[in-house]
Amino acid sequence: MLKAITLDIPSLGFHGDLEFSKGLNVITGESGTGKSLILEAISHVFGRKTQRFSKLDRYTISAIVDLPDDVISKLTGMGYDIDSPEVSVFISKKERTIYRLNGILMTWASVSSILGPLISLVSVDERQSLKKESFRLQLIDRFVDKKLLSEIALVYNKYEKLQEVIAASEVNFSLLTERLERLKLLENEFKEVADYLDRYEDMLKLADKLKQAENILEKAYKIKNILKNNEDSVWNLMVSVESLLSALSIDIDVDCVYDIISEITDSVENIIAEYEYPEMSLDELEHIIWKIQRLMRKYDTDIEGLKQMVTQIEEVDVTLRQKRAEIDKLREEAKQLEDKYISLSKIITSRRKEAVDTIKQYLVQYSRDVLGGIVDIHLAQKDGFFPYGNDIVEFVFKVGKKTVPVYDIASSGELSRILLLLYTLVPPKQEVMVFDEIDAGTSGNVASKIAWFLKRLAENVQVITSTHSQFVAAAADMHFSVKDLGVRKEVKMLEGDHRIKEIARLIDGGSKGAYDVALELINSYKRGDMNG
């Protein structure tokens, strides 16, 4: 709450000291004396920049503000030494604007983010506020269990994060699928050589050896045939010779000849085993080597790269199956969250319908009093997933058989009065509510009802308003008057007879009859008489 403010603007001859109450604070005065200037200065204290103060060359504003615990915690967390809820604010402008809190410099961005939410300039904010779907929902959600609202917001956030993960996984899966398709196109190219890649280096060495050993193998096979492998071989001839020698009774030992033939044959077999590649011929071997080398040139890689390409086909295929299983699991989790969201949304809609019925009755009962027409409230649903459920709230004017959103056709004053009406039923979150001549252009009967609702709102929050209405002035807990004295403007707190005379001035300029009426008005609001 704002406890006090001192405003000094030398160029306008304006100086004012105001100490505010918790309840309804009213500022009266002739047009052009500076009532709105005071309200703008108040907004300045809470970090709101205004066009009028931006144009001023020099001014000072000092104020005392009573801060709530959550704001004190924020300031303490930012390193400000706040040892009491009551803090001093000092704003000065010469060449540039300086803002100090308890003597410590603060940036306007910090002031606006921390202190700004404590105040509402209803004449400035109401149209934008009522246009915001979230704001309209917040009004009726004061009647809804906060646990339900927190739970659906939590489910929504989980669902949204899960959808992001699923989307990223789907993209990854799509890329892997494309990669696998490209790799599978290589399968036919690699089919003939895949089994030989691990032995490529050995095949190169063997091919060189076979090229060098063609003559050796040819001779080795020839010797093998001569010695043992056909009917005319040396071995068979020795068998015939041995038989003839026996027939001629020639006793010569020929076993050594067999031994020599066997030894030579074994040596030849070793040579053949060393130089012969049993799986394929040299031509076949060279063909495989050529194909492998062609693939290396085509894909600009070495033998290890080819091996990896073959391995990747299987690895990507396995990875795809794993990713598909992961995505299916994520989708199942998302489905469970969807079901939970839908269930919570239905419950919240039911609670909101009850709240709408309550607000509707209130609006129908009182909107004509402060607006001259009836404001209604509608609740509808929309498809999709949202952090606050699927409901849409509209405040509407009934125009014949049609209904039109209030922010489309209502004036700023009417919108201010609609919010005043709503805030008396659903107290605002702000600590300070500022109205600038909310009663402007209204009849006496409507103005008296506005005064009553301002009084009622002030039971929950601090209300500061300027007015030309005797009813609003009579309802005040604290009354200030601004006067233009020519060379300077004077702000005074009014009590007793001075206050009665000011209210009489608002009635008819200050006649004796108006004085009596003013006194009765003050007493009637003290009694709580709605009609003033």
Side-chain angles (χ1 to χ4, degrees), residues 122 126-128 130 371 397 405-421 435 438:
V122 181
E126 72 282 337
R127 189 176 300 274
Q128 292 305 317
L130 284 169
L371 294 165
F397 271 130
V406 294
Y407 50 77
D408 282 345
I409 62 171
S411 67
S412 293
E414 288 171 328
L415 289 173
S416 296
R417 294 193 284 278
I418 290 169
L419 279 180
L420 170 63
L421 194 61
F435 297 88
I438 189 174

Side-chain angles (χ1 to χ4, degrees), residues 1-5 18 20-27 35 38-39 42-43 46 119-122 431-438 454 457-458 461-467 472 478 480:
M1 110 177 221
L2 180 64
K3 301 188 83 170
I5 187 170
L18 298 89
F20 298 103
S21 74
K22 288 183 181 180
L24 177 59
N25 300 270
V26 174
I27 304 169
K35 299 187 298 297
I38 296 171
L39 300 183
I42 291 169
S43 71
F46 291 88
I119 189 172
S120 175
L121 306 174
V122 181
E431 301 254 330
V432 183
M433 303 298 293
V434 178
F435 297 88
D436 191 359
E437 297 187 7
I438 189 174
L454 285 170
L457 176 61
V461 296
Q462 184 181 43
V463 178
I464 303 172
T465 184
S466 60
T467 187
V472 175
M478 190 72 73
F480 302 93

Side-chain angles (χ1 to χ4, degrees), residues 281-292:
S281 66
L282 177 60
D283 287 343
E284 292 172 325
L285 184 63
E286 288 181 328
H287 180 69
I288 294 296
I289 291 171
W290 174 79
K291 280 203 164 185
I292 292 173

Side-chain angles (χ1 to χ4, degrees), residues 164-180 182 316 319-320 322-324 326-327:
E164 290 176 7
V165 173
I166 290 172
S169 298
E170 289 284 11
V171 170
N172 190 25
F173 183 83
S174 178
L175 293 173
L176 283 171
T177 301
E178 292 176 9
R179 185 179 172 195
L180 181 63
R182 291 195 300 270
V316 172
T319 302
L320 274 176
Q322 292 173 343
K323 289 292 182 184
R324 184 74 269 169
E326 290 174 8
I327 291 172

